[in-house]
Amino acid sequence: MSGKTRSGSATGRTDRDFLLGVVFILISSLGFALNQSFSNALGSRVGVFEKMFVHNMVGVIIFGVILLKRHISFVGKEPKLLFYRAFWGFLSTLFVVIATTFSSRPLFELSVLTSTSAIFTMITAALWLKEKVSRVQYFVVLVCFLGVLITVRPSPALLTDPFCLFAILGAAFGGAAYCVVRKLRDAAHPYTVVFAYCALSAVCALPLYIGKEVVLEGAGLCPLRDFLYMIGMGLGVSIGQLFLNLAYRKAEASRLSPYSYIQNVYTLFISLFVFGQTISVYSYIGAALIIGANYLNLEAGRRASRKEAIENGRKEEKEPAHGTIR
């Protein structure tokens, strides 16, 4: 095989992996948008820890059965790293659920704070994973954040709501957890990573649910509708977590993180068509900015992938061929 052919095949493979990563992160963002929407619809009718326990048990059952049937390891090759990913993911989800449960601010305004996870992911990827972050990527993240601000036009009261701090903490721990997913790409199966996150979250939430909400507050069985909402939360987070893991196996975290802003576009349409909320023209302008910036990031990412593949192909060409002497 010629060097040109090897370089071309590597370029095509790298470009295809990046595009798959983008598709997976878009599906993941839809799952997380559904999770937050169901949590917001439940409000404070259901306790935080009951939400956490029930919706994570959905993932435990789904991925536990898959792991058993396919004889896949429950701990992978890096149990310590897997624990960090699961625990940071648990804290991220817990803080976001607290914010969407108790904050008086609209879901749109809270999305401004939770979508800063893209910024935390990019910073963590640069400092810990030593990924190169281009100026285009920084520009895209800033434009996306501007689009979110235009979309929700948050009021000054947003910063005085104490529960908004939980949304920011959720974004920070989420960014760290996403980078661990990238580190785990060769150490644990995606089903293992999602199962570990759901299992740890359910185990941590159960004693708090029983002790605080059942024993102290006297919480009883919730209505069927609320239970189905929590099942919806579980299906949303299962989809989000699975495709997040698949995405970060395909491309660098810093390249994919800006696409998580698409979650705000999904939330926009869910609020419009499901909850019947009125959407202003500013929301459409913000959504257009987010989509346009991510298209720019897509093209820049594809060019970077091709350039990286060509450079790797040239390195292979310079390496001496090792063959058998006849």
Side-chain angles (χ1 to χ4, degrees):
M1 182 182 293
S2 67
K4 184 177 180 180
T5 305
R6 285 200 303 270
S7 177
S9 61
T11 302
R13 183 173 62 254
T14 305
D15 190 39
R16 184 170 60 252
D17 285 346
F18 176 71
L19 289 176
L20 276 175
V22 172
V23 172
F24 290 155
I25 207 74
L26 294 179
I27 298 174
S28 171
S29 296
L30 176 59
F32 289 130
L34 291 171
N35 174 268
Q36 286 191 20
S37 298
F38 278 117
S39 177
N40 188 254
L42 279 167
S44 57
R45 295 196 307 272
V46 177
V48 169
F49 298 110
E50 183 177 0
K51 285 182 183 179
M52 289 292 295
F53 175 70
V54 174
H55 94 260
N56 278 297
M57 281 304 299
V58 174
V60 170
I61 293 170
I62 292 174
F63 293 103
V65 170
I66 293 174
L67 291 176
L68 287 172
K69 283 194 171 184
R70 298 193 178 184
H71 304 288
I72 300 172
S73 171
F74 279 80
V75 295
K77 300 176 183 177
E78 294 282 352
K80 186 176 180 181
L81 208 55
L82 188 65
F83 172 79
Y84 288 148
R85 189 271 172 265
F87 186 65
W88 290 344
F90 162 70
L91 291 179
S92 173
T93 305
L94 175 63
F95 291 142
V96 170
V97 169
I98 290 174
T100 55
T101 298
F102 295 112
S103 177
S104 59
R105 310 314 306 165
L107 180 62
F108 267 0
E109 291 197 359
L110 292 175
S111 71
V112 173
L113 304 178
T114 58
S115 47
T116 56
S117 62
I119 299 174
F120 288 111
T121 301
M122 186 172 290
I123 294 172
T124 308
L127 296 177
W128 183 34
L129 302 182
K130 305 302 180 183
E131 293 181 2
K132 294 181 180 178
V133 182
S134 67
R135 293 179 180 177
V136 173
Q137 288 170 281
Y138 284 120
F139 174 75
V140 167
V141 167
L142 290 175
V143 171
C144 286
F145 190 67
L146 175 63
V148 173
L149 289 176
I150 292 174
T151 299
V152 302
R153 289 175 297 152
S155 63
L158 178 66
L159 299 178
T160 62
D161 185 343
F163 291 109
C164 291
L165 175 62
F166 288 96
I168 297 174
L169 289 172
F173 280 106
Y178 299 159
C179 287
V180 179
V181 168
R182 179 67 178 166
K183 291 281 285 186
L184 281 169
R185 65 188 183 276
D186 297 321
H189 195 281
Y191 296 148
T192 301
V193 178
V194 181
F195 174 82
Y197 156 76
C198 292
L200 183 78
S201 298
V203 168
C204 291
L206 180 58
L208 294 168
Y209 164 49
I210 295 175
K212 179 179 182 295
E213 296 174 1
V214 176
V215 176
L216 296 180
E217 300 176 359
L221 294 175
C222 65
L224 178 61
R225 184 188 66 172
D226 290 349
F227 179 74
L228 292 177
Y229 279 178
M230 286 189 283
I231 297 299
M233 285 180 65
L235 293 175
V237 80
S238 296
I239 293 170
Q241 292 290 342
L242 175 61
F243 282 95
L244 179 86
N245 279 272
L246 293 174
Y248 286 139
R249 285 169 175 265
K250 295 295 182 181
E252 293 180 345
S254 58
R255 290 186 186 178
L256 293 178
S257 61
Y259 295 99
S260 60
Y261 279 105
I262 295 293
Q263 179 178 329
N264 296 283
V265 179
Y266 292 141
T267 305
L268 173 73
F269 288 107
I270 290 172
S271 300
L272 177 64
F273 295 110
V274 178
F275 297 122
Q277 297 176 353
T278 303
I279 306 300
S280 70
V281 65
Y282 293 101
S283 299
Y284 294 106
I285 294 173
L289 276 174
I290 294 170
I291 294 172
N294 274 292
Y295 177 77
L296 174 64
N297 189 54
L298 176 66
E299 291 302 313
R302 294 186 69 182
R303 286 196 297 271
S305 297
R306 294 190 189 105
K307 182 179 178 180
E308 180 182 342
I310 291 172
E311 289 176 353
N312 291 337
R314 288 172 178 170
K315 289 179 182 178
E316 291 178 3
E317 291 173 19
K318 292 179 180 178
E319 292 178 357
H322 298 283
T324 304
I325 300 175
R326 295 180 180 276

